[in-house]
Amino acid sequence: ALKAVASYIQNYLMSWIGQRISQELREDLFTHLHRLSLDYYTERRAGEILARATNDLSMVQSTLQFAPLYLVRDLLTVATCLGVLFWRHARFATMALLVAPFAAAVLVVLGRKMRDASKSSQEIMGTLYHRFQESLQGMMLIKAFNYEEGATARFKSENEAFFVEMMRYLRATALSGPLMEFIGSLIIAGVIYMGGLEIMSGRMTPGDFAMFAGAFFVAYAPLKNLGKLNSELQRGLASGDRIFEILDEKPRIVQASDAKRFTGLKGSVRLSGLTFRYPSRDAAALNDVTLELRKGERLAVVGPSGSGKSTLAQLLLRLYDPAEGAILVDGEDLRALDIRSWRERVGIVTQETVLFNDTVAGNLAIGRPGASRAEIERAAAVADADRFISALPEGYDTPLGDRGLRLSGGQRQRLAIARAVLREPELLILDEATSNLDSRSEAE
């Protein structure tokens, strides 16, 4: 009865530890991803990050749930039994354990192979996640261009690479058990043979040998468990490495310790000799740009695609820092200001409208969580969005679904304009904000 109760408590607590640590890791990962600068996401694929946040985290959770149990319980069992062996017959115990270093060497070599193969397979899994995400988001285009076979062929090729790496891992795992079994059998055969010689020579009584053999056999099962645990542990460590690679990333946009809070624009925002190059590109996106935005002024920046208009908007939000030159807000370098207080005064409507799986009101209030319903409705009216919102089944409380796909492109863009207007920003950036609107809405 005591063992049954202890076993239940043990299983429950180990599950609790695994779940709690993975929960905290998941939260740390999500929080840290929001701290990282935008350049981190331009250099990496979303599917790879998603694979680490889901698949790798599941591996770590599985390892945390079972590894401590086997390590603590079985190591204690082995240590106790070895203590008894050496206490009763040190010379015989030493002779019996001479083969142990060979077993340890096998575990180390196989463990390294398993860890490398597991890490490679998880990296390929990130590519597979990316392919799924890419196809799901671009399904209309895939069908329109009859690209189903091409997309499937690319996925099959990468899926085959994942299979190859997983088989590398599984070969090492499959080899680990039989090798440990074989080594254990040699030790047991050696113990029985040497024990017989010791009894026949009178240096050991049958009772001593029976006790020695009993202690050895008690230690044998936990030793086998530790051998099996090695494969699970290596897989968890490989996934842990990939998670901590993200957690070890440092944001490149860092706020100064003595940053000043931005309280409002008094004169102008001046761009002085601004030069910027994206980390993944050789050519400069902007080169020696100088211009001034005075308070209350409207400025139109016109240029062909790729001339740096969107980059200019991102620099004004301090999503990136310029390589040369500076952005001066009332004569103060933007890098010396508190980032959050500056962005609170800036509204932006981007070329690509981003809506979240929330209600209409929830999406509009993202930049101003405390906004009243009257303020939200007023902003929607400014963006010529109030009429179509009122026609929705639940009005402002209508859920928009994933990426707002229940709405047309023009409706989504009007919501994006309303969201920017609701902030009552001092600096309003419209990056081709009416590209999806019809001529009447654009005029409005």
Side-chain angles (χ1 to χ4, degrees), residues 252-261 318 321 332-340:
R252 293 179 190 173
I253 304 299
V254 181
Q255 183 167 291
S257 56
D258 57 347
K260 300 174 185 175
R261 183 168 180 78
R318 209 194 162 197
D321 279 337
E332 191 85 52
D333 194 319
L334 182 58
R335 284 169 285 204
L337 297 178
D338 176 78
I339 297 173
R340 288 186 65 84

Side-chain angles (χ1 to χ4, degrees), residues 75-100 187-188 191-192 194-195 198 203-204 207-223:
L75 278 177
L76 282 174
T77 304
V78 170
T80 304
C81 290
L82 286 176
V84 171
L85 294 178
F86 279 93
W87 169 56
R88 294 303 298 170
H89 215 291
R91 186 175 64 86
F92 191 52
T94 304
M95 291 167 65
L97 295 175
L98 280 175
V99 78
I187 296 173
I188 290 169
V191 165
I192 293 170
M194 289 161 58
E198 293 289 298
R203 289 190 296 271
M204 181 185 277
D208 281 343
F209 177 74
M211 192 203 71
F212 187 94
F216 191 88
F217 279 111
V218 169
Y220 180 64
L223 277 171

Side-chain angles (χ1 to χ4, degrees), residues 21 47 56 58 73 89 106 123 128 132 141 143 166 185 189 196 208 218 243 245 294 302 359 378 380 417:
I21 293 176
D56 283 300
S58 295
R73 185 190 65 188
H89 215 291
V106 167
E123 285 169 2
L128 295 181
F132 267 108
L141 191 70
K143 290 189 174 298
M166 275 306 297
S185 300
D208 281 343
V218 169
I243 290 171
E245 278 175 13
R294 294 181 184 85
V302 183
T359 62
R378 190 159 56 247
I417 294 169

Side-chain angles (χ1 to χ4, degrees), residues 42-353:
T42 58
E43 294 168 11
R44 287 162 183 82
R45 295 178 297 187
E48 291 176 354
I49 299 171
L50 188 62
R52 297 189 191 208
T54 53
N55 207 47
D56 283 300
L57 203 57
S58 295
M59 299 287 186
V60 170
Q61 180 180 325
S62 176
T63 303
L64 287 170
Q65 203 159 325
F66 298 108
L69 171 62
Y70 287 128
L71 283 172
V72 174
R73 185 190 65 188
D74 292 343
L75 278 177
L76 282 174
T77 304
V78 170
T80 304
C81 290
L82 286 176
V84 171
L85 294 178
F86 279 93
W87 169 56
R88 294 303 298 170
H89 215 291
R91 186 175 64 86
F92 191 52
T94 304
M95 291 167 65
L97 295 175
L98 280 175
V99 78
F102 296 103
V106 167
L107 285 177
V108 169
V109 172
L110 287 176
R112 193 176 295 120
K113 286 183 180 295
M114 284 187 277
R115 192 168 178 177
D116 290 344
S118 182
K119 195 166 187 177
S120 297
S121 66
Q122 292 304 97
E123 285 169 2
I124 297 170
M125 178 57 77
T127 304
L128 295 181
Y129 268 84
H130 175 70
R131 290 288 172 234
F132 267 108
Q133 184 185 42
E134 200 173 49
S135 284
L136 290 172
Q137 289 179 349
M139 193 59 75
M140 187 193 79
L141 191 70
I142 289 171
K143 290 189 174 298
F145 282 86
N146 291 329
Y147 185 59
E148 291 95 336
E149 290 182 8
T152 304
R154 290 178 71 183
F155 183 81
K156 281 182 177 178
S157 172
E158 286 154 356
N159 201 27
E160 178 65 23
F162 175 73
F163 172 80
V164 170
E165 287 300 330
M166 275 306 297
M167 288 313 299
R168 271 185 64 206
Y169 168 81
L170 292 170
R171 272 199 302 273
T173 306
L175 190 59
S176 177
L179 268 177
M180 293 303 294
E181 190 87 31
F182 178 68
I183 291 168
S185 300
L186 288 179
I187 296 173
I188 290 169
V191 165
I192 293 170
Y193 175 72
M194 289 161 58
L197 293 178
E198 293 289 298
I199 292 168
M200 287 167 68
S201 66
R203 289 190 296 271
M204 181 185 277
T205 65
D208 281 343
F209 177 74
M211 192 203 71
F212 187 94
F216 191 88
F217 279 111
V218 169
Y220 180 64
L223 277 171
K224 276 181 65 179
N225 286 342
L226 291 172
K228 290 177 184 175
L229 171 66
N230 189 42
S231 61
E232 185 70 26
L233 190 61
Q234 295 306 324
R235 201 173 183 186
L237 288 171
S239 292
D241 284 346
R242 283 165 48 78
I243 290 171
F244 281 100
E245 278 175 13
I246 295 180
L247 292 174
D248 289 340
E249 284 281 343
K250 298 288 187 290
R252 293 179 190 173
I253 304 299
V254 181
Q255 183 167 291
S257 56
D258 57 347
K260 300 174 185 175
R261 183 168 180 78
F262 179 69
T263 55
L265 188 67
K266 299 174 181 64
S268 68
V269 177
R270 178 175 171 76
L271 281 64
S272 178
L274 209 65
T275 296
F276 176 76
R277 181 181 289 103
Y278 287 100
S280 56
R281 300 179 200 168
D282 296 327
L286 293 171
N287 188 32
D288 195 24
V289 175
T290 297
L291 60 87
E292 189 169 16
L293 301 160
R294 294 181 184 85
K295 185 171 182 177
E297 183 180 56
R298 297 178 195 173
L299 178 73
V301 179
V302 183
S305 180
S307 60
K309 302 186 297 295
S310 297
T311 301
L312 201 62
Q314 291 169 348
L315 287 167
L316 282 167
L317 276 162
R318 209 194 162 197
L319 298 174
Y320 297 97
D321 279 337
E324 297 171 25
I327 297 174
L328 304 173
V329 181
D330 291 331
E332 191 85 52
D333 194 319
L334 182 58
R335 284 169 285 204
L337 297 178
D338 176 78
I339 297 173
R340 288 186 65 84
S341 66
W342 166 249
R343 289 178 184 164
E344 281 170 4
R345 305 299 182 101
V346 180
I348 185 167
V349 182
T350 58
Q351 295 177 46
E352 184 183 350
T353 303

